Amino acid sequence: VPQKPVLLTGASGALGRVLTRALGEQGWTLRLTDRVPFPDQLPEGARFQLADLEDGPAILRLAEGCGTILHFGGISVEHPFETVIGPNIRGLYHAYEAARREGARMVFASSNHAIGFHERTEVLDDDCALAPDGYYGLSKAYGEMMGGLYRHKHGVESVFLRIGSCFPEPTDARMLATWLSYGDMTRLVMRATLAPTLGPSGTAVIWGASKNSRMTWWRRDGRETIGWAPQDSADSYAAALEGKTSGNPVAERYQGGGFTALDYSRSE
Ligand code: NAI
Ligand code: 15L
């Protein structure tokens, strides 16, 4: 159990609700926040406060006394630039300012869409070039770079979770590679929070996929530093899903799948 309370943003979202239940069951002291009400029963010892990530003073107050910030709030799929920038850029800045003020570790829900324009034939390590596949992916790349800034300038530690596809089950052929089970995601967040050190760099990137034999795109990362390994696998869904491709040549070429093909206007 962490020594200090843990702040979870995006608590009312899909992954926030999974984490609230699982971490609450482990006896963690949770401070929860979102801009929409929390729909479930609160675990014992948890407090929920409505707040917009764009409200900096509110985020600073919420983080008071916390040792870790699990930053899962924000826009979670592709949207126009003007929709993304408030929650995912200004909101992210407020979360990092809170981490700096508290000396807290940041566990940031980044995304495969920060690197989505790498081709599926490429094998990526954690130091690969960022290649965002939209304004959403760009906000995640910016978040990872902001984590680097706050480490260098203020000593704030960050774990960047480059989550693949975290859903109850894989639902298409791409997810046979990118699927991250809820159980593996929960254990990943627990290790990212509890790991005593992130090593000399003070930051770690983790590829967030389960033990899928089709995940040939992502290789070296910081999982040993935090002591995490996935246990679940999408493999048993292969027979049902391998024919379920998008039919779009752009989406099928790149790791980010359908996000890469949205509003795609390149002709050569
Ligand atoms: P979600 O959309 O269900 O949850 C996001 C939550 O953030 C929502 O409850 C929403 O109300 C809240 N939020 C949005 N703007 C806000 C604002 N301005 N102020 C306060 N709260 C705000 O998304 P999900 O699937 O739970 O994802 C959680 C995080 O993980 C997101 O950051 C997402 O980008 C990231 N992620 C998720 C993946 C997945 O497969 N589910 C894959 C990769 C990354
Ligand atoms: C994400 O970043 C999204 O939050 C999620 O809804 C999925 O689209 C996922 O990536 C994915 O790439 O499957």
Side-chain angles (χ1 to χ4, degrees):
V1 176
Q3 286 176 352
K4 291 182 172 181
V6 170
L7 174 63
L8 172 63
T9 70
S12 308
L15 303 193
R17 293 171 65 192
V18 169
L19 286 170
T20 298
R21 186 174 332 110
L23 302 178
E25 279 170 7
Q26 297 290 318
W28 290 27
T29 302
L30 298 173
R31 305 271 181 271
L32 309 171
T33 185
D34 203 291
R35 68 177 171 186
V36 301
F38 189 71
D40 308 323
Q41 205 185 326
L42 286 178
E44 208 178 315
R47 287 209 307 248
F48 177 85
Q49 171 107 41
L50 269 182
D52 198 300
L53 285 163
E54 295 197 55
D55 181 349
I59 302 305
L60 284 180
R61 270 195 306 276
L62 272 160
E64 267 171 31
C66 291
T68 310
I69 300 178
L70 309 176
H71 187 43
F72 280 65
I75 300 295
S76 62
V77 290
E78 183 63 350
H79 274 289
F81 179 77
E82 295 293 351
T83 306
V84 172
I85 188 165
N88 287 25
I89 303 292
R90 200 170 291 116
L92 171 91
Y93 161 68
H94 294 147
Y96 264 106
E97 277 295 292
R100 166 187 175 182
R101 163 94 76 91
E102 300 300 324
R105 180 181 291 175
M106 175 69 79
V107 178
F108 174 52
S110 184
S111 169
N112 72 87
H113 296 292
I115 56 85
F117 263 124
H118 284 285
E119 299 199 14
R120 296 191 187 191
T121 50
E122 289 178 71
V123 182
L124 307 181
D125 292 329
D126 51 7
D127 59 355
C128 73
L130 294 165
D133 60 24
Y135 300 116
Y136 164 69
L138 192 58
S139 76
K140 297 300 187 180
Y142 190 89
E144 295 192 17
M145 290 198 291
M146 190 175 284
L149 168 65
Y150 274 70
R151 168 62 186 169
H152 288 126
K153 200 163 264 195
H154 307 299
V156 173
E157 291 184 324
S158 288
V159 184
F160 306 119
L161 311 178
R162 282 192 194 152
I163 303 171
S165 307
C166 192
F167 295 99
E169 293 186 335
T171 54
D172 62 23
R174 174 173 169 273
M175 289 195 205
L176 294 174
T178 59
W179 186 58
L180 176 68
S181 74
Y182 281 170
D184 282 338
M185 185 276 296
T186 301
R187 290 182 285 271
L188 174 55
V189 169
M190 290 175 64
R191 289 310 312 153
T193 304
L194 295 170
T197 166
L198 302 180
S201 76
T203 59
V205 170
I206 314 286
W207 298 112
S210 284
K211 224 170 60 191
N212 313 323
S213 46
R214 296 186 188 211
M215 178 32 81
T216 52
W217 318 340
W218 303 336
R219 189 172 53 191
R220 198 189 64 226
D221 68 6
R223 67 190 58 201
E224 280 176 25
T225 305
I226 64 162
W228 175 76
Q231 299 174 16
D232 299 325
S233 170
D235 290 5
S236 61
Y237 298 87
L241 297 178
E242 60 198 347
K244 219 174 151 195
T245 56
S246 67
N248 179 311
V250 175
E252 294 304 315
R253 176 172 174 188
Y254 296 110
Q255 298 188 3
F259 285 42
T260 65
L262 291 168
D263 197 31
Y264 187 89
S265 70
R266 188 170 150 178
S267 51
E268 88 286 13

